[in-house]
Amino acid sequence: WPPGTWLRPLDSGRGTWGEGMVRLNGPRWELELGGEGYPQSLVELQNPPEVLRGIGDREVLSGPCLAVIGARRATPYGIAAAELAGRVAAECGVTVVSGGAMGCDYAAGMAAAAAGGRTIVVAGTGADVPYPASSTPVFQAAVDSGAVVSLERWGQTPRRYAFPRRNAVVAALCKVLVITEAGQVSGTMSTADAALELGRTLYAIPGSIFSPNSSGTNRLAAEGARIIPDEASLELAISMDFGVARFCSQGERPAAGPVLSALVACPSRPDELAARLNEDVLTLLRTLTDHEARGLVERLPDGRYSPTKEYLLGQND
């Protein structure tokens, strides 16, 4: 596949020509095991890849790296946590690595790029094939500010076997792995397991004990991962582990009333929230409508209400 080949990332595994195709623009390269520029961190894998293909700046692989990963179908809380981790790492001068998936991976990568940081996406497809298609912006941002790398051949579209191998490479490239939101059985947890086997440091951003999306993250915290309860703790942990300093102000979350406090603890439906707060449902619905109009809460597809990521990150006026 020559540079600039246009591809459509298809689940069927076939690259085809036609409308809606995407491409990544940037210098391509291949690094061979034992050769110049091959990341020494990957040699620690039980079966290091013979060839690592990439687009962008291969020098980024030799710098300090921190992975930020989490659920693909993330809640607003998970997205906010991923954006926070990506931004703080970037502002500390640490390269942010992810798998480029939708949800937390995408949020972390885009937040790091927006903060002027460097990013690496480890693709489960060929390095020139953004997957899923909706993640094309984070792939291109990685090419512009760092690199997209892959174990797969150029032009390779999705194969199920490729993603566990991708997860192991994400774990190996990094000194620290930040778990933002993860269920008990997930690709995120398999990456965390790989990181533990390699002796990497895990940070866990805890979530509600009632949220299935945080059950895996909370288990990691209980089993010894470093708990990250707030932005200051994340900054301190990165500073200690990487020997870096961050010079910027932190956002402040607006004061929370009882409704927002309850939703931060656990996204809920209006009737559940009314019972918990001993409020009339109609009164509560009016409050939720007002909060929604102000960008403080949003309604999830299953009918529950949750604080918006903007509120959680202190970005509301």
Side-chain angles (χ1 to χ4, degrees), residues 229-245:
D230 53 35
E231 183 172 345
S233 298
L234 177 61
E235 179 181 352
L236 176 61
I238 293 175
S239 298
M240 293 178 61
D241 285 327
F242 290 92
V244 296

Side-chain angles (χ1 to χ4, degrees), residues 28-303:
R28 297 186 180 195
W29 37 263
E30 296 184 0
L31 304 178
E32 295 184 357
L33 178 62
E36 181 182 357
Y38 189 92
Q40 288 303 302
S41 58
L42 297 188
V43 179
E44 299 177 44
L45 290 168
Q46 187 173 0
N47 296 299
E50 293 292 331
V51 179
L52 187 69
R53 297 174 178 86
I55 305 177
D57 181 8
R58 67 183 187 179
E59 297 300 322
V60 74
L61 298 172
S62 61
C65 294
L66 172 149
V68 181
I69 60 173
R72 289 178 299 159
R73 300 189 182 280
T75 66
Y77 174 81
I79 296 295
E83 288 189 359
L84 171 67
R87 173 172 55 83
V88 172
E91 290 171 349
C92 288
V94 177
T95 298
V96 174
V97 181
S98 77
M102 61 183 182
C104 292
D105 286 20
Y106 183 95
M110 294 303 287
R118 311 198 76 186
T119 62
I120 297 172
V121 168
V122 184
T125 54
D128 54 343
V129 182
Y131 179 82
S134 59
S135 286
T136 299
V138 78
F139 275 71
Q140 189 61 57
V143 171
D144 295 340
S145 67
V148 174
V149 301
S150 175
L151 284 64
E152 308 306 314
R153 63 178 176 84
W154 299 110
Q156 179 62 61
T157 46
R159 294 287 197 277
R160 186 177 297 276
Y161 69 80
F163 291 93
R165 298 200 307 171
R166 183 274 305 272
N167 294 344
V169 170
V170 170
L173 281 175
C174 302
K175 181 177 182 178
V176 169
L177 193 75
V178 183
I179 313 299
T180 57
E181 188 174 52
Q184 289 278 10
V185 179
S186 61
T188 300
M189 292 298 287
S190 73
T191 308
D193 290 340
L196 288 172
E197 290 177 6
L198 291 166
R200 304 300 192 251
T201 299
L202 294 189
Y203 297 172
I205 299 180
S208 168
I209 62 173
F210 302 107
S211 172
N213 274 34
S214 291
S215 59
T217 318
N218 292 344
R219 179 171 66 80
L220 288 172
E223 293 177 353
R226 180 161 187 165
I227 299 172
I228 304 298
D230 53 35
E231 183 172 345
S233 298
L234 177 61
E235 179 181 352
L236 176 61
I238 293 175
S239 298
M240 293 178 61
D241 285 327
F242 290 92
V244 296
R246 173 186 178 222
F247 299 97
C248 61
S249 62
Q250 301 177 14
E252 294 186 4
R253 183 186 305 166
V259 172
L260 278 168
S261 295
L263 292 178
V264 167
C266 182
S268 305
R269 294 179 177 83
D271 56 338
E272 298 169 338
L273 195 57
R276 190 173 304 136
L277 298 176
N278 195 27
E279 287 277 1
D280 176 73
V281 174
L282 291 178
T283 300
L284 188 61
L285 281 171
R286 284 194 288 269
T287 301
L288 288 171
T289 299
D290 174 68
H291 284 359
E292 191 171 16
R294 294 166 57 196
L296 301 176
V297 304
E298 64 179 280
R299 191 173 184 271
L300 303 179
D302 62 4

